[in-house]
Amino acid sequence: MKRRLLHPELAAVCATLRHGEMVFVADAGSGTHAKSLVPLADDVQIIDVGVVTGVPSVADLLPVLCATGDFEAAIVTEDMARANPEGRALVDDLLGADAVHELRYLPDFYELRDRVKVFVQTGDYAVHGSVVLVAGYPSPAIPLEWLTSPIWLQNLAAADATVGG
């Protein structure tokens, strides 16, 4: 039976994702308030689906998003495999281990929060449980350097200029 995403905001996000746009599926400890330890940029949409401690978990939400959206990759912290092996195994199973990229937790992974289309806060308190999903379609994968650099296009142009001239 095909699962249907009932949450209207999440369904709209999945329906409108374009290649390279990212969804940050966060644990409950990832503050979204302007005065949190690492505040989000003002232009990042926040969808809080947390109901009570642990519900829903990132593990509850990821399979639903992957079944309804078109994701080509995921980004996790380099500590996830050690600190949250069940979570890492789930991400590997859903997207394929070759499509899962690792970043240093601070500051690299946290800096992605300001580059995502939407930040989905769950009720999960798993250590290193947050996952960034990267939208895609059947095409070559987007290089991790492009996903993590706000100036990747300028860097690419500069490299081309050096090679060509």
Side-chain angles (χ1 to χ4, degrees), residues 7-8 14 25 43 54 62 65 72 82 118-119 132 137-138 164:
H7 193 285
C14 285
V25 182
D43 62 342
L62 284 179
L65 290 174
E72 72 177 32
R82 176 192 46 76
V118 65
F119 184 91
V132 177
Y137 56 86

Side-chain angles (χ1 to χ4, degrees), residues 46-76:
I46 299 168
I47 301 175
D48 190 339
V49 297
V51 178
V52 297
T53 302
V55 178
S57 68
V58 171
D60 292 332
L61 193 52
L62 284 179
V64 175
L65 290 174
C66 288
T68 57
D70 188 9
F71 298 101
E72 72 177 32
I75 304 170
V76 299

Side-chain angles (χ1 to χ4, degrees), residues 24-46:
F24 198 113
V25 182
D27 58 41
S30 301
T32 56
H33 190 275
K35 293 185 178 183
S36 68
L37 184 59
V38 183
L40 282 167
D42 293 337
D43 62 342
V44 174
Q45 178 186 0
I46 299 168

Side-chain angles (χ1 to χ4, degrees), residues 124-136:
D124 201 335
Y125 277 93
V127 176
H128 291 281
S130 298
V131 176
V132 177
L133 296 173
V134 181

Side-chain angles (χ1 to χ4, degrees), residues 103-133:
L103 286 179
R104 186 174 52 164
Y105 179 57
L106 292 173
D108 303 334
F109 187 74
Y110 251 72
E111 286 176 347
L112 283 180
R113 293 165 24 120
D114 289 342
R115 303 219 28 236
V116 300
K117 180 172 186 169
V118 65
F119 184 91
V120 181
Q121 182 130 35
T122 67
D124 201 335
Y125 277 93
V127 176
H128 291 281
S130 298
V131 176
V132 177
L133 296 173

